[in-house]
Amino acid sequence: MLNRNIKIGAIAPCLLAIIIDVFGYGLVYPIMTAIFTNPSNPLVMGLTSPQMRDFFLGLAYLLYPLCMLFGASFMGDLSDHFGRRRVIALCMIGICLSFLLMAEGVLGASLTLLLVGRGLSGLMAGSQPIAQAAISDLSTQETKALNMSLITFVICIGLVLGPLMGGVFSDPLLFAGFGFATPFFIAAALALIACVWTLLKFKETYKPKEKKPLSFMRPLIVFVEAFVDKEVRYLVVIFILMQVGFGLYFQTILIQIKSLYG
């Protein structure tokens, strides 16, 4: 039992990084929905037509996964050059900065800062696969099943915490000091804690053996190569359709709830 506790303690910084990475995805959905469906919000008062507000709402939803497509792969390659520990800490600092940019965008009524912060959070979302790789590095045959289960568990926690934090901590009816910027400040503080914890307590698990070339466009190359193999091609198409279905539901249900119940 003591050995198991030690193993969990060793991977704890990685688990926190995964949670922050995942809830960063869903944190903004209730906030963005509330902002862009309210014509009187200072952020969107310059967007005179509902069509323009809908466009920028879709853009705010889009930026995170689009930037994550490139950022996750690039950060993974970067970790092969400089090790897991440094790149996880870099991602946490980047996520912290992205939340601060979005908070400043809300407070300063700057749509540009809000969207730039959203994109940056996607670029820095590569900490999740790197943290998973680090946990795999630390796992033994006896602890691998437990550690993989913990990864799935904390991903579920992040998926639940994200929209919950975004909705609860932005509601001034619950507390007079809450506002749309509050969840971003809380998330930035957690990301900073994760960065410091990683640097202080997490021991490097990977020693680079060879310097692979860094390519920001590698995800597109891999995507094209996936269609060469017929069996892989079908799996890719199925996975894309599953993700499209999830995205359509998760995004439109929030708009529907907002329009029906305020």
Side-chain angles (χ1 to χ4, degrees):
M1 179 62 70
L2 180 59
N3 185 52
R4 176 174 292 187
N5 288 337
I6 292 174
K7 292 296 182 182
I8 294 177
I11 66 174
C14 294
L15 295 176
L16 178 59
I18 292 172
I19 291 176
I20 292 171
D21 202 342
V22 175
F23 81 54
Y25 171 77
L27 177 76
V28 304
Y29 280 102
I31 300 172
M32 296 292 189
T33 303
I35 288 174
F36 285 96
T37 55
N38 180 9
S40 62
N41 188 283
L43 264 169
V44 298
M45 286 183 68
L47 307 176
T48 54
S49 69
Q51 291 78 15
M52 285 296 293
R53 291 193 296 273
D54 290 343
F55 169 79
F56 279 99
L57 174 60
L59 181 61
Y61 286 163
L62 166 72
L63 279 173
Y64 183 95
L66 177 64
C67 292
M68 183 181 179
L69 173 67
F70 297 95
S73 174
F74 185 77
M75 289 298 171
D77 290 344
L78 208 61
S79 73
D80 290 339
H81 281 249
F82 301 106
R84 317 285 194 216
R85 177 173 166 269
R86 291 180 182 178
V87 179
I88 291 174
L90 173 65
C91 289
M92 290 296 102
I93 283 292
I95 289 175
C96 176
L97 178 59
S98 74
F99 286 135
L100 292 177
L101 285 173
M102 286 187 276
E104 181 58 31
V106 170
L107 294 175
S110 172
L111 185 57
T112 300
L113 282 180
L114 185 70
L115 295 177
V116 169
R118 178 66 168 161
L120 180 60
S121 65
L123 282 175
M124 293 296 167
S127 55
Q128 183 182 156
I130 299 170
Q132 292 181 10
I135 291 173
S136 178
D137 293 340
L138 288 168
S139 299
T140 63
Q141 288 298 324
E142 293 76 20
T143 61
K144 179 170 285 188
L146 172 64
N147 290 346
M148 295 304 105
S149 299
L150 285 173
I151 291 174
T152 304
F153 178 65
V154 298
I155 287 175
C156 293
I157 290 176
L159 287 172
V160 172
L161 281 181
L164 180 64
M165 283 181 60
V168 170
F169 291 110
S170 63
D171 189 354
L173 296 179
L174 295 177
F175 183 73
F178 287 172
F180 288 135
T182 309
F184 295 131
F185 284 124
I186 295 174
L190 290 174
L192 183 60
I193 290 171
C195 174
V196 174
W197 194 10
T198 299
L199 291 174
L200 293 179
K201 295 296 183 181
F202 181 67
K203 295 183 179 180
E204 183 57 67
T205 64
Y206 180 81
K207 293 182 179 180
K209 299 176 182 178
E210 57 178 330
K211 298 291 185 180
K212 298 179 182 178
L214 294 173
S215 174
F216 204 68
M217 302 303 292
R218 192 165 75 88
L220 297 182
I221 298 172
V222 173
F223 187 77
V224 171
E225 290 177 347
F227 281 83
V228 175
D229 189 307
K230 186 177 180 180
E231 294 183 359
V232 175
R233 184 190 313 156
Y234 288 131
L235 293 174
V236 171
V237 171
I238 290 170
F239 185 74
I240 290 174
L241 291 175
M242 182 183 73
Q243 293 299 312
V244 169
F246 172 78
L248 284 173
Y249 173 79
F250 190 62
Q251 294 167 15
T252 55
I253 194 65
L254 289 170
I255 300 173
Q256 183 73 0
I257 291 173
K258 177 67 169 61
S259 63
L260 289 176
Y261 306 110

